[in-house]
Amino acid sequence: MVDPLHLSRVEPRRFFSSHKSLVTVFWIATFASLFIWQFGGVSGRGGALYRAGSVFWWGTSASPGGFPRLRPVSFNLTDFGAVGDGVTMNTDAFERAIFAISKLARKGGGQLNVPPGRWLTAPFNLTSYMTLFLAEDAEILAVQDEKLWPLLPPLPSYGYGREHPGPRYGSFIHGQNLRDVVLTGNNGSINGQGQTWWKKYRQKLLNHTRGPLVQIMWSSDIIFANITLRDSPFWTLHPYDCKNVTITNMTILAPVFEAPNTDGIDPDSCEDMIIENSYISVGDDGIAIKSGWDQYGITYGRPSKNILIRNLIIRSMVSAGVSIGSEMSGGVLNITIENLLIWSSRRGVRIKTAPGRGGYVRDITFRNVTLDELRVGIVIKTDYNEHPDGGFNPQAFPVLENINYTGIYGQGVRVPVRIQGSKEIPVRNVTFRDMSVGITYKKKHIFQCAYVQGRVIGTIFPSPCENLDRYDEQEQLVKHSDSQNATDIDYEI
């Protein structure tokens, strides 16, 4: 196996052959682990899924029908008259089953088992102390008629429907003010059937902002594990102002083109969250960490913080593998993003903001990130000028500081780094260490910077911009930069 620590010290000519081995090994190891988990580690033959912290394991008890039992009481969807033929509307069955579970909170809640079949329904709400378990080959289908989707007020930290003023469509599966909710299964799926929504959006036929596939708001102790989410009308999984959220062993899918705004996972003003061991391929950002929009987010004042993102494979042909912002007005703090493979995408990891956002992005760590066939690898953009209305303060400048990139590898990347600070929004205390990214474009200025202060430790490839201080491997200063405000941004590359 190639030693990744050695890659930053080899000459560029040797990089390409050695790094292909690294990418291959990473792919094999990651897909093998996902395969083992999906098909070996989660047997449908009895066994119960328990949680200890963020760790799951299987026991031996099972409810009738072969479903693992996670709660004292369990129900099957068919007990409430549901028909899984893909045509029959099952909204009443879901609502009656969830109402029955809502009466069991003092007894530890209840579990709703969804057996194999295609279960068409209008949007529905979850309840506390509930487990929704999707069997293998179970698929919950969202009705496509938007008249059956409820309208909700705009999110308070956005103050405006994201696409239209006024009310917004609610999510397909929704929850507010909940505690102890688990969505899991034997890789069953929730299908938003978003094709109709995407078409109407492009044709400007919708009067309200599209709804997410799953949205949980103002809730705590939430788990998503071992299910597939696909073809959302809008953002796919949107935890909003939640605490203690675990998202693990998920598959999130949408077409990589012509599926607008189908972000994979959007933590929004959330804290104490882990996102891990998952595959995401969607029509917008794979993950986008948010915390409100301009003056509304500043007033709401809830940051996204203490989030760990690890062990993911992501593809985003339109946007980025992992983004922070651009709606980050409540602040983003203490984020670790590690062990990622981002492949065949437009961008790798990105921070985006603008004057008027306010807030801050600080204490961000990117570690052990592999970039395979990308247009731009690392991006920081400070002129992402989308605003909810004219009421924002153009002097509300966000603060960007303490951002670390360690162990960044890749091949086939056109522009490895583009950090575009500005006089009003400089990027401070950025660190690069152990970086070797093979390039497809031989022109100079492929490590682009503007208004950036920070340092490079050791030797990295490609050569860094002149804005950054140079340190040796022992972190001793070699050369101090006096060009922190230099600008070398070229969007023609």
Side-chain angles (χ1 to χ4, degrees):
M1 178 183 291
V2 176
D3 177 7
L5 296 178
H6 179 65
L7 285 175
S8 63
R9 299 189 290 271
V10 300
E11 63 273 18
R13 185 169 51 188
R14 289 184 57 198
F15 165 81
F16 296 104
S17 61
S18 63
H19 196 267
K20 284 185 178 180
S21 300
L22 175 65
V23 172
T24 302
V25 169
F26 189 97
W27 272 87
I28 294 172
T30 306
F31 275 120
S33 63
L34 288 173
F35 183 86
I36 291 169
W37 199 97
Q38 299 270 11
F39 299 102
V42 184
S43 170
R45 301 176 185 174
L49 182 64
Y50 299 94
R51 182 183 184 199
S54 297
V55 179
F56 297 86
W57 71 90
W58 288 88
T60 57
S61 61
S63 60
F67 287 95
R69 185 167 175 174
L70 288 77
R71 303 281 182 178
V73 179
S74 64
F75 303 98
N76 287 341
L77 186 61
T78 52
D79 297 339
F80 298 88
V83 179
D85 59 5
V87 178
T88 303
M89 283 290 290
N90 295 292
T91 312
D92 182 65
F94 276 102
E95 290 178 344
R96 289 192 296 117
I98 294 169
F99 180 76
I101 291 172
S102 71
K103 301 300 183 182
L104 301 171
R106 292 186 178 181
K107 298 180 180 179
Q111 174 175 328
L112 177 58
N113 297 320
V114 181
R118 304 179 76 238
W119 309 92
L120 181 66
T121 177
F124 60 88
N125 294 311
L126 303 174
T127 190
S128 293
Y129 305 102
M130 172 183 176
T131 295
L132 180 64
F133 190 97
L134 280 68
E136 185 179 2
D137 297 325
E139 185 176 35
I140 302 176
L141 296 172
V143 66
Q144 294 179 297
D145 184 355
E146 69 267 20
K147 297 184 183 66
L148 298 177
W149 289 58
L151 291 175
L152 300 178
L155 295 168
S157 60
Y158 287 72
Y160 180 101
R162 190 61 182 80
E163 298 170 331
H164 295 277
R168 62 190 175 91
Y169 288 108
S171 62
F172 176 51
I173 295 180
H174 193 78
Q176 294 185 187
N177 301 301
L178 303 182
R179 183 176 181 183
D180 186 6
V181 175
V182 179
L183 276 70
T184 188
N186 282 336
N187 204 28
S189 62
I190 299 171
N191 188 337
Q193 300 200 101
Q195 294 82 357
T196 298
W197 292 92
W198 308 332
K199 182 177 180 180
K200 289 183 177 180
Y201 169 76
R202 290 192 296 267
Q203 294 175 343
K204 302 185 184 304
L205 298 177
L206 297 171
N207 295 319
H208 307 284
T209 299
R210 292 166 289 158
L213 186 64
V214 181
Q215 184 178 64
I216 307 295
M217 305 172 62
W218 304 305
S219 300
S220 63
D221 304 320
I222 310 298
I223 300 172
F224 298 89
N226 199 38
I227 56 176
T228 294
L229 306 178
R230 67 184 310 135
D231 294 346
S232 175
F234 191 55
W235 300 342
T236 303
L237 177 52
H238 185 213
Y240 180 84
D241 199 352
C242 291
K243 296 182 179 180
N244 194 19
V245 179
T246 298
I247 301 172
T248 186
N249 294 288
M250 298 286 289
T251 302
I252 299 179
L253 304 173
V256 293
F257 292 115
E258 298 186 353
N261 309 109
T262 50
D263 296 7
I265 303 171
D266 285 5
D268 203 334
S269 295
C270 289
E271 63 179 283
D272 301 333
M273 173 183 288
I274 182 168
I275 302 170
E276 64 179 1
N277 304 334
S278 298
Y279 178 84
I280 302 172
S281 178
V282 289
D284 208 300
D285 291 317
I287 294 174
I289 301 173
K290 305 176 182 290
S291 64
W293 202 10
D294 286 4
Q295 70 272 26
Y296 303 106
I298 294 171
T299 300
Y300 194 72
R302 305 280 175 82
S304 281
K305 63 182 181 179
N306 306 334
I307 298 175
L308 172 61
I309 298 170
R310 65 185 181 188
N311 306 335
L312 305 180
I313 300 175
I314 303 176
R315 187 185 189 200
S316 171
M317 289 289 289
V318 173
S319 197
V322 176
S323 285
I324 297 175
S326 72
E327 307 94 326
M328 40 60 65
S329 301
V332 178
L333 172 68
N334 192 25
I335 310 296
T336 298
I337 300 163
E338 62 184 9
N339 303 335
L340 262 61
L341 171 62
I342 302 171
W343 68 286
S344 189
S345 297
R346 187 175 181 87
R347 305 174 189 89
V349 294
R350 175 171 63 165
I351 297 171
K352 49 184 177 176
T353 186
R357 290 289 191 271
Y360 53 85
V361 176
R362 62 166 60 105
D363 301 336
I364 312 298
T365 297
F366 296 92
R367 182 168 52 232
N368 192 23
V369 177
T370 299
L371 310 171
D372 187 21
E373 301 296 334
L374 272 63
R375 182 169 178 176
V376 187
I378 293 169
V379 181
I380 298 180
K381 184 175 177 62
T382 57
D383 60 352
Y384 202 85
N385 289 307
E386 290 184 348
H387 303 282
D389 53 42
F392 71 95
N393 176 8
Q395 299 301 310
F397 299 122
V399 174
L400 307 181
E401 61 185 6
N402 306 336
I403 303 166
N404 297 288
Y405 301 92
T406 301
I408 309 298
Y409 317 118
Q411 64 177 2
V413 179
R414 189 175 180 88
V415 178
V417 177
R418 179 178 285 149
I419 299 179
Q420 183 185 3
S422 66
K423 183 178 180 180
E424 296 78 16
I425 311 174
V427 182
R428 298 302 187 201
N429 196 23
V430 175
T431 300
F432 286 89
R433 185 170 193 166
D434 185 19
M435 173 176 175
S436 190
V437 177
I439 58 177
T440 59
Y441 203 70
K442 306 303 180 183
K443 193 174 180 179
K444 296 181 180 179
H445 312 308
I446 56 174
F447 196 120
Q448 301 179 7
C449 299
Y451 289 91
V452 179
Q453 175 270 323
R455 61 180 182 165
V456 173
I457 300 174
T459 302
I460 67 172
F461 181 80
S463 297
C465 59
E466 61 180 336
N467 307 61
L468 302 174
D469 298 335
R470 307 292 182 91
Y471 287 74
D472 62 21
E473 294 284 358
Q474 288 71 45
E475 301 190 25
Q476 300 298 310
L477 180 64
V478 174
K479 181 182 179 182
H480 177 72
S481 172
D482 56 4
S483 304
Q484 297 172 0
N485 295 339
T487 299
D488 187 19
I489 302 295
D490 185 357
Y491 281 99
E492 296 300 319
I493 302 179

